[in-house]
Amino acid sequence: MKGQYDHTGFFRSNAAWFDDVNYFHGFHRCGEYSISEADFLSFYGRSLNELSTATREPQTEQERSLLEVLNGQKLPETFQEKTWLKYLNKTRDIPIVSSVHYCDHSRSYYDSVEDYT
């Protein structure tokens, strides 16, 4: 993965990260994140996702601190920790709303009207 560590202490990928499952219009257009939060998720989301799923080991103190927040060992303090925790809270345990509507086709409209007259 091409990229670099920058002043935030997090790995920034050269390619933008997208969560097409939860935000198919993108972080900027969903209305749940500020511009700076959406930028952060786009630039650093790939590496933070890898840290969160333990497919990559933390390399900096900031990444180790983020893992402590995710493990519940400390409260989020930095903008980066708060933003990633906000993303995880919005994308985990999403309630499933059923759109199935039950309709009894064995009865007609007029049968139901006769019940009330």
Side-chain angles (χ1 to χ4, degrees):
M1 176 169 65
K2 292 184 177 184
Q4 62 188 4
Y5 283 92
D6 61 8
H7 68 282
T8 64
F10 291 97
F11 186 81
R12 180 177 175 169
S13 177
N14 289 339
W17 181 63
F18 302 99
D19 181 356
D20 292 334
V21 174
N22 297 301
Y23 299 102
F24 53 89
H25 289 297
F27 298 116
H28 291 88
R29 296 186 64 182
C30 72
E32 295 183 7
Y33 302 102
S34 67
I35 294 171
S36 56
E37 289 172 334
D39 287 342
F40 177 76
L41 291 173
S42 296
F43 295 138
Y44 301 95
R46 185 180 312 276
S47 65
L48 296 177
N49 190 40
E50 290 173 354
L51 282 173
S52 298
T53 58
T55 55
R56 188 169 74 80
E57 294 293 320
Q59 302 297 317
T60 64
E61 184 59 38
Q62 290 84 353
E63 290 180 341
R64 285 189 271 293
S65 178
L66 176 70
L67 288 180
E68 289 176 1
V69 170
L70 296 179
N71 292 329
Q73 298 170 342
K74 67 177 232 173
L75 294 174
E77 298 171 356
T78 65
F79 167 78
Q80 293 84 2
E81 292 169 349
K82 290 176 184 177
T83 302
W84 187 247
L85 200 58
K86 179 179 178 179
Y87 165 78
L88 291 178
N89 286 332
K90 289 189 176 288
T91 57
R92 290 184 179 171
D93 300 325
I94 297 173
I96 299 172
V97 178
S98 175
S99 62
V100 178
H101 175 70
Y102 174 75
C103 184
D104 185 3
H105 292 288
S106 64
R107 299 179 64 181
S108 72
Y109 168 75
Y110 296 106
D111 291 338
S112 62
V113 171
E114 290 172 1
D115 292 341
Y116 294 107
T117 57

